[in-house]
Amino acid sequence: MPLWEGYDEWSHFGHIERLITKSELLANREESISQEVLFSLQNAPVAWELRSFPLPFLPHDDYWKLSEDERSQRVIALKKIDPALGEITAATDLKIYEALQPPLYYWLLAVPYQLLQNAPLMERVFLLRYISMGIASLIVPLIFLTVFLVTDSHKTAMMSTALFVALPEMMINVCRIGNECLGILIFSALILVSLSLETNRTSHRKSILLGILLGLGLLTKAYFLTAVPVIFLMCIWKAWRTGEYRQWIHSMCLTYGAAVLISGWWYIRNKVMSGTWSGLSESVLLKHLSFAEWFSGIQSVDWRNAVDSILVSHIWFGAWSSLVVRSWIYHVLFILIGLSVLGVILFFIRENQRREPLFILLLIYGFYWLGQLFNVLLLFLSKGESTSMGWYMYCVIAAQLSLLAVGMQAIIPGYRKPVLLLLLLFLMVVLDLYTVYFVSIPYYTGLTAHRSNGFLENFHLYQISQTGMQEILSRLSTHKAFWLSPFSLSISSFLHLSGTLGLFIFAVRIFTIPEAARKN
């Protein structure tokens, strides 16, 4: 992805930059971005979502229409940006709005940023991206452990983990500067610990661990508020099933106590400063609405369009330039998701002894969906749009993949091999390769552009020969760190192709090995 193409990336970066340049623990959410960030936005091509800003902010569509000399001048200006400009607040209406986010991710990234603060801008951006991707890589073993705990199958757990690695929108979500990578990691760990809670000698330690994870999560993303009622209902349900009310109430108090000690100050601060617990801009804007106005909003939202936008942007949505693929591609994947939902229902009907982990997963996933739908309502009442962001759904990916594995296994009674998981993995590998080489790269190198209706032009193979592969690689390496040269990008492309295809070959190999042999 080019500079600032990740969702809200320049504002996330500006938040980290401000913590260091101003020596602050908490940045001012009303403060403008630095002159360094503003100057970079004025010279580099910007994401399609920023097209409403006046010139000289140019989206990729218009940037590649400039003459070669004009583009060269912008590249030179971008490379010569003085890092000292990061200490100067720009005279602009662009605010560091991501400073309203909880601070944990920004505190963590401020440490390497301080070591890099004198490096050129693009080097700092890409190194922080790599660190974010490294944080996200820690999710991989958590996915395996969660799916294995639910399905008791090494094969299904390994194939679900391979599917997680192959998800193209997941990679777009975490390969940027932003707190999603840490949010997904902590939520995945929280889901794993929730599934392993039992009344035994280690229950108190696990309850405290769950509270620590919840507290750290609440200091990372506001969507962890959806986990607060889940833990309450989970403990009450377990107390009712086991009859050990005192034990589970004690565990619940330990969990909430640890969470409040870690993160309570942030939400009290939000309430004092903004009048809302989350402190999010939409919540602050709507805090004076009456119950009747909220109810009227619920009736007015186009919920079908909202759910569709969440699902589409969860499967694949090409970063902040809002790239999408053909609608039939989404519908094929919707069918497989629908089959999985049917499979989960069938599993509940057939199985009496293995419902507990699925009940917990459904609680987590269901309450998160309620949170997403509430966000739809906030966006509708504040901006008039019946939509929300599906890439946020990856925070509960451990629950989602576990339910997906169970559902796809149950849809074929008596068949132990996860054939539908293998099919879904194949489709995701194809989607990844297609969107990288036939959608994203052509757009980021000026071979395609948005039409007047907002949809992307079709890419044709003959455009490669017209433009030349060397020119395409040269354009792709523009506005990137110095080590991302045309040569290194061609090597990266080979590694991406072989790694992605190798992932599917690995899954086929796992698929063919008997389960007993895999356990041994």
Side-chain angles (χ1 to χ4, degrees):
M1 292 192 296
L3 184 70
W4 307 141
E5 178 65 11
Y7 304 115
D8 302 289
E9 188 174 40
W10 58 265
S11 186
H12 287 291
F13 177 87
H15 187 177
I16 299 168
E17 180 182 58
R18 188 52 44 86
L19 294 180
I20 297 300
T21 57
K22 299 291 185 180
S23 299
E24 298 173 338
L25 277 176
L26 298 172
N28 181 2
R29 65 185 70 182
E30 297 300 324
E31 196 166 354
S32 298
I33 58 176
S34 68
Q35 286 191 9
E36 180 184 41
V37 174
L38 178 62
F39 194 72
S40 68
L41 288 168
Q42 291 172 336
N43 284 280
V46 300
W48 177 248
E49 288 298 319
L50 295 176
R51 67 191 182 278
S52 59
F53 286 96
L55 291 174
F57 283 32
L58 291 178
H60 295 273
D61 310 60
D62 298 326
Y63 180 87
W64 296 108
K65 295 177 183 177
L66 298 175
S67 68
E68 188 173 345
D69 286 342
E70 289 176 303
R71 297 200 307 267
S72 297
Q73 290 173 10
R74 285 172 172 257
V75 171
I76 293 170
L78 191 61
K79 289 181 178 179
K80 289 184 176 180
I81 295 178
D82 185 355
L85 292 177
E87 301 177 10
I88 303 172
T89 302
T92 176
D93 292 333
L94 293 177
K95 307 294 184 184
I96 312 173
Y97 53 82
E98 292 299 346
L100 57 81
Q101 298 271 9
L104 183 58
Y105 170 82
Y106 307 97
W107 287 347
L108 292 175
L109 270 289
V111 176
Y113 183 90
Q114 189 162 25
L115 301 175
L116 302 167
Q117 60 181 319
N118 293 323
L121 173 66
M122 287 183 284
E123 278 66 32
R124 275 177 281 150
V125 169
F126 277 85
L127 285 169
L128 292 181
R129 280 186 181 181
Y130 297 155
I131 293 170
S132 297
M133 187 178 66
I135 292 171
S137 297
L138 299 175
I139 305 166
V140 174
L142 297 178
I143 297 295
F144 174 83
L145 292 170
T146 302
V147 178
F148 178 70
L149 189 62
V150 173
T151 64
D152 195 31
S153 168
H154 284 83
K155 180 181 292 187
T156 302
M158 293 181 76
M159 293 187 66
S160 298
T161 308
L163 176 60
F164 168 75
V165 175
L167 293 171
E169 180 63 18
M170 173 68 192
M171 292 298 290
I172 290 172
N173 195 15
V174 300
C175 292
R176 63 179 170 110
I177 301 170
N179 52 0
E180 282 297 308
C181 60
L182 186 61
I184 300 169
L185 174 64
I186 296 174
F187 221 131
S188 298
L190 185 145
I191 291 169
L192 179 61
V193 174
S194 298
L195 291 171
S196 63
L197 276 183
E198 297 292 345
T199 52
N200 53 38
R201 289 181 298 175
T202 64
S203 61
H204 288 175
R205 282 182 288 175
K206 286 189 176 180
S207 297
I208 294 172
L209 175 59
L210 186 63
I212 292 172
L213 291 170
L214 178 60
L216 293 175
L218 288 167
L219 272 186
T220 303
K221 292 287 290 189
Y223 54 48
F224 276 86
L225 289 168
T226 64
V228 174
V230 169
I231 292 171
F232 173 80
L233 293 174
M234 181 182 70
C235 290
I236 295 298
W237 178 67
K238 283 180 175 285
W240 174 75
R241 285 200 62 194
T242 61
E244 299 174 341
Y245 289 95
R246 186 173 181 178
Q247 171 73 27
W248 282 107
I249 291 174
H250 189 198
S251 294
M252 185 167 56
C253 291
L254 287 173
T255 297
Y256 286 133
V260 169
L261 283 174
I262 293 171
S263 62
W265 65 271
W266 171 258
Y267 292 89
I268 293 172
R269 177 179 179 270
N270 285 340
K271 188 66 175 176
V272 171
M273 293 184 63
S274 68
T276 67
W277 291 108
S278 68
L280 298 178
S281 55
E282 292 84 6
S283 298
V284 174
L285 185 66
L286 303 172
K287 64 182 179 181
H288 299 300
L289 291 188
S290 65
F291 176 79
E293 289 171 311
W294 283 101
F295 186 72
S296 175
I298 293 173
Q299 294 178 306
S300 303
V301 171
D302 183 351
W303 292 107
R304 180 179 178 181
N305 180 76
V307 172
D308 185 68
S309 70
I310 292 170
L311 292 176
V312 164
S313 57
H314 183 49
I315 290 174
W316 194 83
F317 198 72
W320 222 13
S321 285
S322 304
L323 309 181
V324 292
V325 292
R326 300 296 182 89
S327 60
W328 66 265
I329 296 176
Y330 296 107
H331 291 141
V332 168
L333 295 170
F334 289 165
I335 291 171
L336 287 176
I337 293 171
L339 287 175
S340 178
V341 172
L342 177 61
V344 171
I345 296 172
L346 292 175
F347 184 89
F348 265 88
I349 294 173
R350 296 173 187 157
E351 299 285 344
N352 293 320
Q353 305 299 322
R354 298 170 57 198
R355 292 178 179 175
E356 182 171 325
L358 258 68
F359 177 75
I360 294 172
L361 293 174
L362 287 171
L363 270 180
I364 293 169
Y365 197 54
F367 268 87
Y368 189 80
W369 260 106
L370 288 176
Q372 271 281 41
L373 296 178
F374 180 68
N375 192 50
V376 170
L377 182 59
L378 288 177
L379 291 173
F380 177 79
L381 290 172
S382 60
K383 300 178 181 179
E385 301 174 356
S386 298
T387 186
S388 188
M389 289 67 78
W391 52 87
Y392 291 155
M393 296 295 295
Y394 282 99
C395 73
V396 288
I397 189 64
Q400 191 175 13
L401 285 175
S402 298
L403 291 169
L404 191 73
V406 169
M408 288 189 164
Q409 198 81 348
I411 204 70
I412 308 177
Y415 189 64
R416 298 295 299 170
K417 291 187 176 183
V419 61
L420 289 179
L421 270 180
L422 185 65
L423 173 61
L424 185 57
L425 174 62
F426 171 75
L427 293 177
M428 283 300 173
V429 165
V430 173
L431 180 64
D432 182 34
L433 296 177
Y434 171 70
T435 53
V436 167
Y437 297 103
F438 293 90
V439 180
S440 299
I441 290 178
Y443 177 71
Y444 295 143
T445 55
L447 302 185
T448 60
H450 287 91
R451 298 174 178 146
S452 57
N453 60 7
F455 290 99
L456 204 61
E457 295 172 347
N458 293 327
F459 168 68
H460 302 283
L461 288 175
Y462 69 79
Q463 292 175 275
I464 297 176
S465 59
Q466 285 184 343
T467 307
M469 185 59 71
Q470 187 61 37
E471 175 65 16
I472 292 172
L473 288 170
S474 178
R475 290 184 179 188
L476 197 61
S477 64
T478 307
H479 315 112
K480 289 187 171 66
F482 73 88
W483 57 83
L484 294 174
S485 64
F487 175 75
S488 65
L489 285 175
S490 63
I491 298 298
S492 297
S493 179
F494 170 77
L495 293 174
H496 172 250
L497 278 167
S498 57
T500 305
L501 293 173
L503 189 69
F504 179 70
I505 294 169
F506 163 80
V508 171
R509 174 63 176 157
I510 294 298
F511 181 82
T512 57
I513 297 176
E515 183 71 34
R518 186 66 244 170
K519 286 183 179 180
N520 292 333

